[in-house]
Amino acid sequence: MKIRAPKGLGAAARACHPPGMSENDPDALIRGRYGITPDTPLPFAPVPEVAPALAALLDRRVTRRYAAAPVPEPLLQTVLAGAQSAPSKSDLQQYAIIVLQDAAKIARIADWIGGMDWIKQAPVFLLFCGDIRRGRRVAALHGRDHANDNVDTFLNATADAALALGFTVMAAEHAGLGTCPISYVRNHVEKIAPLCALPRGVFPVAGLTLGWPEGAQLALAPPAAGAGGASRDLRRQRPGGRPPGLRRRPPAGEAALPRDPRAGARGCGWSQNAARQLSVPERFGLRTWLKLQGLSLD
């Protein structure tokens, strides 16, 4: 387990596309992104040619099935370097990445969360944290008081962690790896924080599974350009894309998507699933736990 602080390193990129899709097929990319049928007009006229890196973003998938193969350490470190290339609010670098590769510890997190078997399948679990401790230590190093243990600092640190997570997803995708964000780590901060030895001032924002998608062509080095994408057994994060603008009633014909396994029956639309999630009270103890970590949130 390692805590990675931000460093100014970059990572190379490549695009992955399903069979039959050109790297520069704007119509197909936009239709796939929003779940638009071939006989329905596009919501806007796309650019005539899509750059490979942008095409990879439009065609991104969440991975919930992982191969039983490790991620080589040089590749993992390169992906983390990509994460550390993310921008940082006011350049305060208020985040940390906890790297878990111990299968037993990853399994414990999966068991606490429940209903997400892909967490145990993934060889790497990353915990993205807001890190206010670093700012406190920097202030003390220069003989200054840290006068901003408040909600703004909390938001800055959370934004930094979220940006790093997003860049990790992009870096992993370009390297042929799959990812799945896990927000449910915040349901169990009182157990996950000790497991990951989080110091005072460091708090979980989200987890991320990382590994080779099941069925992907594996390699002991970063895959060559063009490898991997065609054989992936993946599911879209939101197969139907974003629903039409919500007004007085849920949109008609809203595409179905896989629901949270704990929700019971599958096959509901995006707005129905979102309404279900938002109607269930969660994380009553999160504010109390954060205050115990020294975040007043005033």
Side-chain angles (χ1 to χ4, degrees), residues 26-45:
D27 185 278
L29 286 167
I30 299 302
R31 290 186 186 281
R33 173 61 187 89
Y34 294 109
I36 301 172
T37 60
D39 57 344
T40 303
L42 291 176
F44 59 89

Side-chain angles (χ1 to χ4, degrees), residues 53 108 118 133 137 147 169 205 213-214 218 229 265 284:
R108 289 177 67 184
W118 57 90
R133 177 193 62 159
R137 295 173 69 180
V169 169
V205 173
E214 184 181 76
L218 305 184
F284 286 114

Side-chain angles (χ1 to χ4, degrees), residues 92-267:
L92 293 174
Q93 302 183 31
Q94 296 173 309
Y95 74 93
I97 306 172
I98 312 300
V99 183
L100 290 175
Q101 296 171 281
D102 184 321
K105 289 184 177 180
I106 295 174
R108 289 177 67 184
I109 293 175
D111 289 341
W112 290 333
I113 292 173
M116 297 184 181
D117 293 339
W118 57 90
I119 296 177
K120 291 184 181 181
Q121 295 173 6
V124 180
F125 187 85
L126 303 176
L127 185 66
F128 290 81
C129 301
D131 186 350
I132 295 173
R133 177 193 62 159
R134 183 175 296 112
R136 293 172 179 164
R137 295 173 69 180
V138 168
L141 180 66
H142 291 277
R144 295 177 178 268
D145 293 330
H146 189 277
N148 287 284
D149 280 330
N150 53 31
V151 70
D152 185 65
T153 297
F154 170 74
L155 287 174
N156 278 348
T158 301
D160 274 5
L163 285 165
L165 186 151
F167 269 59
T168 303
V169 169
M170 291 189 291
E173 175 74 14
H174 295 322
L177 297 165
T179 61
C180 182
I182 308 292
S183 65
Y184 274 88
V185 296
R186 298 195 303 276
N187 286 42
H188 305 280
V189 288
E190 77 287 350
K191 292 181 285 190
I192 289 176
L195 177 72
C196 296
L198 299 187
R200 184 177 173 84
V202 179
F203 57 91
V205 173
L208 188 74
T209 54
L210 178 71
W212 299 106
E214 184 181 76
Q217 180 180 352
L218 305 184
L220 295 180
S231 59
R232 292 186 179 187
D233 181 13
L234 308 181
R235 291 184 283 170
R236 283 184 183 274
Q237 185 178 26
R238 298 192 318 213
R242 296 169 182 162
L246 298 178
R247 291 185 175 86
R248 296 182 180 178
R249 63 183 63 184
E254 186 178 62
L257 78 165
R259 292 179 64 175
D260 187 312
R262 286 155 294 196
R266 296 175 177 268

